[in-house]
Amino acid sequence: MVVSVSVVLLLVLLAVMLMRNHALKPSHAVLCVLLGFCLASTSLAPTIRSTLASTADLVSTLRP
């Protein structure tokens, strides 16, 4: 749960930054959100979730 909230906040922050720099139009942001909702309801959702969790585990083991 903590990983998914962190990823969502990171993606929201990136989307806001892109919109402020006029690199991402609001219509594109809405399209990305709709794509995310559609992906969440497909059979790919568990694979995407496990990939994100594995990546987060890998990053958490790295030492600076």
Side-chain angles (χ1 to χ4, degrees):
M1 182 66 171
V2 174
V3 173
S4 63
V5 171
S6 299
V7 170
V8 168
L9 289 177
L10 176 66
L11 291 174
V12 166
L13 180 66
L14 288 173
V16 168
M17 288 173 44
L18 286 171
M19 285 176 59
R20 291 190 77 188
N21 292 333
H22 301 292
L24 180 70
K25 296 178 182 177
S27 60
H28 297 150
V30 170
L31 182 65
C32 290
V33 169
L34 291 175
L35 175 63
F37 278 116
C38 290
L39 279 176
S41 65
T42 65
S43 61
L44 289 175
T47 306
I48 294 169
R49 191 172 296 127
S50 67
T51 303
L52 286 174
S54 298
T55 304
D57 289 339
L58 176 70
V59 169
S60 68
T61 61
L62 297 176
R63 300 284 183 230

